[in-house]
Amino acid sequence: DGGITQSPKYLFRKEGQNVTLSCEQNLNHDAMYWYRQDPGQGLRLIYYSQIVNDFQKGDIAEGYSVSREKKESFPLTVTSAQKNPTAFYLCASKWGQGTEAFFGQGTRLTVV
Amino acid sequence: AQKVTQAQTEISVVEKEDVTLDCVYETRDTTYYLFWYKQPPSGELVFLIRRNSFDEQNEISGRYSWNFQKSTSSFNFTITASQVVDSAVYFCALSVASPTSGTYKYIFGTGTRLKVLA
């Protein structure tokens, strides 16, 4: 089955730690995206990548980093610089301009 | 600037009632795309429909219908004869090209939580 897989589903982070959220897709999509969702808010764009080895900051990139070494994978690292990381994180991919995005099931990150 | 407004934060209806979810968008671009997504409690966003700015034709898919009106910058979503399984958060989104990179990005509304009561 083609789709996007995010892992883990739940993640707990201690203060000062970096954590990495995984996103893998087998849809052969070029573009991949990371969004953050907070209660009562829409999705906000963190980073996106149109092709391998290239990515751009979204609206709320501070405290996050990404890499795109393979077409299928777009991991997101939440660094200790992100002061309020508790949120629901969604990864998405799509194949062309103006097309619909396909979303993973999300990772819920909690700082403990 | 681009913006999507979903003024209805939460709507509750009784099963079999019809319900309309409102979406108003803002953009100066002449080429853009509009989307509706459903987010069930599991969290994954499920694609429902896409419309481009040159196609104002309304669409019906089973119990779902969409009314796109450029004159009022609205893209409303109606569920006919609602069911409990329709309970979810629904997002409207606008996709326009970035003026600097040309890349299309999504701008999401804040979502409308629909509760369908049995």
Side-chain angles (χ1 to χ4, degrees), chain B residues 25-36:
Chain B
Y25 63 93
E26 295 176 29
T27 181
R28 293 182 181 176
D29 289 49
T30 55
T31 300
Y32 54 88
Y33 300 86
L34 295 164
F35 302 82
W36 274 96

Side-chain angles (χ1 to χ4, degrees), chain B residues 24-88:
Chain B
V24 174
Y25 63 93
E26 295 176 29
T27 181
R28 293 182 181 176
D29 289 49
T30 55
T31 300
Y32 54 88
Y33 300 86
L34 295 164
F35 302 82
W36 274 96
Y37 283 87
K38 174 182 180 179
Q39 186 178 41
S42 60
E44 178 180 358
L45 266 72
V46 178
F47 166 73
L48 296 177
I49 191 171
R50 175 181 74 124
R51 264 286 174 269
N52 70 56
S53 52
F54 301 106
D55 181 5
E56 280 193 80
Q57 194 170 26
N58 292 330
E59 177 147 344
I60 298 174
S61 176
R63 297 185 296 107
Y64 296 170
S65 62
W66 291 269
N67 183 352
F68 176 27
Q69 291 193 334
K70 289 177 73 171
S71 61
T72 56
S73 296
S74 65
F75 186 42
N76 297 337
F77 173 31
T78 297
I79 301 175
T80 303
S82 60
Q83 300 176 0
V84 172
V85 293
D86 295 328
S87 298

